[in-house]
Amino acid sequence: MALNEHLESTVKAYDQQLHRRVDLLLRTGKLLVESLADTNRIVRNMKRTAAYLGIPEEKLHINVSFTMLMVNVSDGDYSFTKFQRIDGHGVNMTAISEVSKLSWRAIEEDYSLDRYEEELEKIRTKKRNYTPWQVAIGAGFACGGFCIQFGCDWMAFLYASIAAIIGMRVRAKCNESGLNHYMGIAIAAFISTLIAWASTLLPAEWTDTPWHPLLACALFIVPGVPLINFVDDMLDNYIQVGIVRAVNTLLMVSAMAFGIAFAVKLCHIEDFFPTISMVPHHEYWEYALAAAISAMGFSMIFNIQRRLLWVVAIGGILAVCTRNFVNLGPSTDNIGLDMGLVIGSFSGSVLVSLIAVKAVHWFHVPNHVLTIPSVIPMIPGVLMYRMLFGLINMNVTDIDKVTTLMKAIECGVNSGLVIMCISVGVAIPNIFGRKYIASSKNKHLAEVLKERRARGKFVEW
């Protein structure tokens, strides 16, 4: 009888320990999913955390989806499964970096479960690096940087920035009120476009490019992280979660387009593209400055550490100047290879991604922390707006309708190609570089675990 009671108490204690460890593992994964880490990083960090917790990889089964996490621990005779719901999503690259560092520290410094849980909770509840108004101002200047790249002057840069700042605050208030995520995006895009249109009513002598702010005022909504994560997941063979990310990205863009289109119709804004020059006429230093501003602005939205702002600024300069050099030709005032926007955008993103493969060791952050904000300034906002205005203004004569539709389709296809090339350019060097990095990290992890076993600090289930 006593023996049975002892066995029951041992099994109960075993179950409680396993339950707690799996719970900590799921909470780690949840924080990564909610911070919009790519699926490969989520799985790698969870496996490393499981190694710290003493759960062997061959007994561990992880399933990641956009709204749910599942972990199963099974040895053939005993099986335990637990689910974790994902409550929301918001880019938080500081959290992604800190979770990765925590998983290594926990192994190397023999963290107790209590200490690991405490450190994980600190990361979860840590205040963001920037106040809401700082984020809004950063987002506003990021859109102003886009406006400079589209050909505006610096007064129009200010108009676009003000419209985007107000739109960003409106979006934040919508999120705080619990309003539907996509509805908040549509409202923010509507307000930003409305304010940018109102700036065209100001005295004409203040700016030579009054219509350009309309092209950039809502680009703070561009879902760069979900888009690049979607490409990463598809290339890493996480097809299901990649498709969900793609649908989420499409819905965000659709909500943004709806808000802009509603403002255009309400204000009776005609197609202004024939009245403005879309030929690049700025000097390279102006494009570089605008790219740096945009990269830093989006970094604030993504909650990147302050110490890295200058790094992503340089990354943005490299990406945009490389894109322009490959893209521009003799028809412009700048020198270049005249190979087109698609190849230029791909070249810029590949260069930044290749540098980031090495730079992650210098700054001790994940690859995407450096690459995504750097390539965001290359988003082809002009082509996207041309497509949108082409679709909105099809209600003309039959001949013009066909011409407008064909131009809209052409702009849509080109913008899609550019965005896909940016995403692939970021993803491919990272994936190939990860293979070499992963092998060295796995070797280091095995050595650390071996030392931990020798110290008697490792309990394997």
Side-chain angles (χ1 to χ4, degrees):
M1 187 69 177
L3 179 60
N4 289 338
E5 291 178 356
H6 175 71
L7 288 173
E8 287 178 3
S9 63
T10 302
V11 171
K12 186 177 180 180
Y14 173 89
D15 286 345
Q16 288 175 345
Q17 283 292 312
L18 181 59
H19 287 201
R20 187 183 182 191
R21 290 167 191 254
V22 171
D23 181 67
L24 287 174
L25 181 59
L26 281 168
R27 286 165 60 185
T28 302
K30 177 185 177 182
L31 184 54
L32 290 168
V33 176
E34 290 180 344
S35 300
L36 286 185
D38 62 279
T39 306
N40 188 284
R41 173 164 294 279
I42 295 167
V43 173
R44 282 186 287 121
N45 276 264
M46 289 183 71
K47 286 183 177 179
R48 188 159 59 243
T49 302
Y52 151 70
L53 295 169
I55 303 174
E57 187 174 336
E58 63 271 13
K59 296 180 182 179
L60 178 67
H61 311 280
I62 300 173
N63 182 55
V64 179
S65 71
F66 198 64
T67 57
M68 189 71 70
L69 271 176
M70 184 194 77
V71 167
N72 170 264
V73 181
S74 174
D75 60 5
D77 297 323
Y78 183 89
S79 180
F80 174 70
T81 302
K82 190 169 184 179
F83 294 85
Q84 176 67 62
R85 184 180 64 189
I86 307 302
D87 295 322
H89 300 86
V91 185
N92 188 345
M93 292 191 170
T94 294
I96 295 172
S97 301
E98 292 300 323
V99 168
S100 179
K101 293 175 183 177
L102 174 61
S103 64
W104 281 110
R105 286 202 314 271
I107 296 172
E108 293 170 348
E109 300 179 20
D110 295 327
Y111 276 18
S112 66
L113 295 184
D114 288 337
R115 185 179 178 188
Y116 181 87
E117 185 174 16
E118 181 183 345
E119 293 291 328
L120 187 65
E121 190 65 15
K122 283 181 181 178
I123 296 172
R124 189 187 69 83
T125 57
K126 183 179 180 180
K127 287 185 177 180
R128 294 181 73 88
N129 298 320
Y130 311 94
T131 66
W133 271 106
Q134 286 175 333
V135 172
I137 292 171
F141 286 151
C143 292
F146 270 115
C147 202
I148 292 293
Q149 291 191 60
F150 299 161
C152 80
D153 55 30
W154 288 96
M155 181 56 74
F157 164 90
L158 182 61
Y159 292 167
S161 298
I162 292 172
I165 289 170
I166 297 173
M168 187 68 183
R169 289 301 298 142
V170 168
R171 183 185 180 187
K173 290 296 182 183
C174 289
N175 291 338
E176 291 170 8
S177 68
L179 189 67
N180 178 272
H181 175 61
Y182 304 110
M183 183 65 71
I185 288 174
I187 293 172
F190 171 78
I191 295 297
S192 295
T193 305
L194 203 63
I195 295 171
W197 168 79
S199 71
T200 64
L201 305 178
L202 295 174
E205 60 269 17
W206 289 7
T207 176
D208 295 327
T209 55
W211 292 103
H212 282 71
L214 280 163
L215 303 176
C217 63
L219 290 181
F220 61 88
I221 301 171
V222 169
V225 173
L227 178 63
I228 292 174
N229 282 345
F230 144 66
V231 176
D232 262 350
D233 287 348
M234 299 299 280
L235 293 176
D236 282 323
N237 209 32
Y238 295 104
I239 305 299
Q240 187 176 16
V241 67
I243 291 173
V244 175
R245 290 187 196 269
V247 172
N248 178 55
T249 301
L250 181 61
L251 289 173
M252 293 176 69
V253 173
S254 299
M256 173 183 167
F258 177 81
I260 295 170
F262 191 65
V264 167
K265 283 295 184 182
L266 182 67
C267 300
H268 302 287
I269 302 174
E270 299 296 331
D271 186 1
F272 52 79
F273 280 100
T275 66
I276 61 177
S277 172
M278 303 308 298
V279 178
H281 57 271
H282 288 307
E283 298 293 334
Y284 269 107
W285 71 266
E286 291 183 276
Y287 287 123
L289 179 59
I293 292 172
S294 293
M296 288 190 291
F298 275 99
S299 296
M300 296 171 74
I301 298 174
F302 300 159
N303 196 39
I304 288 176
Q305 297 97 317
R306 292 175 183 269
R307 67 182 177 87
L308 297 174
L309 287 178
W310 70 272
V311 180
V312 296
I314 293 175
I317 292 171
L318 289 173
V320 168
C321 289
T322 301
R323 191 251 341 242
N324 289 349
F325 177 74
V326 176
N327 172 34
L328 302 179
S331 60
T332 68
D333 295 333
N334 297 289
I335 60 172
L337 301 179
D338 197 20
M339 296 181 69
L341 184 60
V342 174
I343 302 300
S345 300
F346 180 75
S347 301
S349 59
V350 167
L351 176 64
V352 169
S353 188
L354 286 172
I355 294 173
V357 168
K358 185 64 177 176
V360 294
H361 300 294
W362 304 336
F363 303 105
H364 306 290
V365 291
N367 183 282
H368 281 176
V369 173
L370 303 178
T371 54
I372 295 180
S374 298
V375 302
I376 288 291
M378 295 194 296
I379 294 293
V382 170
L383 294 177
M384 295 164 65
Y385 272 85
R386 280 194 176 216
M387 177 185 68
L388 181 60
F389 272 85
L391 296 175
I392 293 173
N393 291 288
M394 284 195 302
N395 56 335
V396 287
T397 62
D398 290 338
I399 296 177
D400 288 341
K401 185 182 295 185
V402 174
T403 304
T404 303
L405 178 61
M406 294 306 296
K407 286 183 178 179
I409 293 174
E410 180 184 2
C411 290
V413 170
N414 285 334
S415 64
L417 285 173
V418 170
I419 292 171
M420 189 56 62
C421 282
I422 291 173
S423 304
V424 172
V426 168
I428 289 179
N430 182 34
I431 290 172
F432 281 105
R434 188 189 300 151
K435 291 184 178 180
Y436 297 102
I437 296 171
S439 60
S440 61
K441 283 189 174 182
N442 289 337
K443 184 178 179 181
H444 177 61
L445 179 61
E447 292 173 353
V448 172
L449 291 176
K450 184 178 179 180
E451 292 174 3
R452 197 163 182 238
R453 284 190 184 93
R455 295 195 302 269
K457 298 290 186 178
F458 188 82
V459 179
E460 190 167 85
W461 297 91

